[in-house]
Amino acid sequence: MFDPVCPSDLTPIRFGDKWAGMLLRCLEHGPRRFSELRVPLRGISAKALTKSLRSLERDGLVTRRAHAEPTRRVEYELTALGRSLLQPIAAACAWAREHWDELLDAREASSLPTRPVQPVRG
Amino acid sequence: MFDPVCPSDLTPIRFGDKWAGMLLRCLEHGPRRFSELRVPLRGISAKALTKSLRSLERDGLVTRRAHAEPTRRVEYELTALGRSLLQPIAAACAWAREHWDELLDAREASSLPTRPVQPVRG
DNA sequence: GCGGATGGTTACCGATCGGATACCAGTTAC
DNA sequence: GTAACTGGTATCCGATCGGTAACCATCCGC
């Protein structure tokens, strides 16, 4: 999931910040804990995850619930509004899959400056 | 068109850079000249417009045609790929219109830090 | 020959983005 | 007691974003 050559790096469609789109998709099937989210989002730092989640929370797309348990536990869940964004996200993914090759070709054929592919973090 | 309180400032959905989404919509009904594009995109600087257009060109979404005429004339036009993006853009706009109030409410109700509304340029 | 339009480019600047690193308080397992 | 896991926060850094201002060559109308 979300490998380093993920189409979402190439498509011109973005949802919120760098991670928000993937984050919302990770929450698609129910609430997830902070550290659970870090698994599929390979390499995301705690800081980036916190920031992205706070932003989504502020916009009413996810809720944060800190459980009163001996050992710390916080769960994030999509709101109705957040769930409603899954459709446009799916549409964007469909578009990207469909036009992936054209995008690659266009970049390759272009003489215009392209940013070098970012190095893959281990 | 694209007034300062445009929903596209608030929605978490973005196409390319700050102007790309609006730019593509401006090209929806046929080729446009550089200076024609600056009209609906109130206040865009030449630099920003050039950069955004170059980026769209590089990605194969628009074409640039410099006419061999006595007085300089350059036209930008959507490619088939660019036109295909109009659908997701329309979907994003529909989503934004539909959930505009919820987004505003969420921000208002939130105690989380929101960036102050940027000053409206004359 | 002077001003304005056209389609840009360049330099500069502050703000933001996003990664790396270090740290922290509470709990739990060894 | 000490290490690891939990869910973070604080600090630093370089890169990018996006705006302003200045400049530029060519052509046109007056």
Side-chain angles (χ1 to χ4, degrees):
Chain A
M1 196 173 188
F2 305 135
D3 66 86
V5 229
C6 181
S8 60
D9 264 12
L10 189 59
T11 58
I13 315 177
R14 284 238 336 227
F15 296 83
D17 64 20
K18 177 176 178 180
W19 301 97
M22 298 179 249
L23 219 33
L24 291 173
R25 296 200 63 181
C26 288
L27 294 170
E28 191 165 356
H29 302 299
R32 293 285 182 271
R33 303 179 56 169
F34 188 85
S35 45
E36 282 176 321
L37 290 171
R38 300 192 65 176
V39 178
L41 275 50
R42 302 196 6 88
I44 191 176
S45 67
K47 175 191 164 191
L49 183 51
T50 306
K51 217 188 73 177
S52 198
L53 284 169
R54 290 280 184 284
S55 172
L56 293 173
E57 200 189 343
R58 184 199 59 190
D59 288 353
L61 301 175
V62 310
T63 55
R64 191 189 110 110
R65 246 182 325 174
H67 297 265
E69 285 175 15
T71 162
R72 210 165 175 188
R73 186 173 149 210
V74 180
E75 279 191 325
Y76 294 91
E77 191 175 7
L78 288 183
T79 63
L81 186 57
R83 259 191 305 283
S84 78
L85 243 190
L86 291 176
Q87 270 182 345
I89 290 178
C93 291
W95 184 91
R97 266 194 304 278
E98 195 171 343
H99 300 284
W100 177 239
D101 292 339
E102 294 171 69
L103 278 169
L104 272 178
D105 289 353
R107 290 243 174 155
E108 197 141 348
S110 169
S111 57
L112 270 37
T114 310
R115 208 168 307 112
V117 177
Q118 60 238 41
V120 178
R121 277 172 284 95
Chain B
M1 197 172 188
F2 304 136
D3 66 84
V5 230
C6 180
S8 59
D9 264 12
L10 188 60
T11 57
I13 314 178
R14 286 240 332 231
F15 296 84
D17 63 20
K18 177 177 177 181
W19 301 97
M22 298 179 250
L23 219 33
L24 292 174
R25 294 200 64 182
C26 289
L27 294 171
E28 192 166 357
H29 302 299
R32 292 284 182 270
R33 303 178 56 168
F34 188 85
S35 46
E36 282 177 321
L37 289 171
R38 299 191 66 175
V39 177
L41 275 51
R42 301 197 6 90
I44 191 176
S45 67
K47 175 190 164 192
L49 183 50
T50 306
K51 218 188 74 178
S52 198
L53 284 169
R54 290 280 184 283
S55 172
L56 293 173
E57 201 191 341
R58 183 199 58 193
D59 287 355
L61 302 175
V62 311
T63 55
R64 191 190 110 109
R65 246 182 326 173
H67 297 264
E69 284 176 17
T71 164
R72 210 165 175 187
R73 185 171 147 212
V74 180
E75 280 191 325
Y76 294 92
E77 189 174 9
L78 288 183
T79 62
L81 186 56
R83 259 191 304 284
S84 79
L85 243 190
L86 291 176
Q87 271 183 346
I89 291 179
C93 290
W95 185 91
R97 268 196 302 279
E98 195 171 344
H99 299 285
W100 177 239
D101 291 340
E102 295 170 69
L103 277 170
L104 272 178
D105 289 353
R107 289 243 174 154
E108 197 141 348
S110 169
S111 58
L112 271 36
T114 309
R115 207 168 309 113
V117 177
Q118 59 240 41
V120 178
R121 278 172 283 97

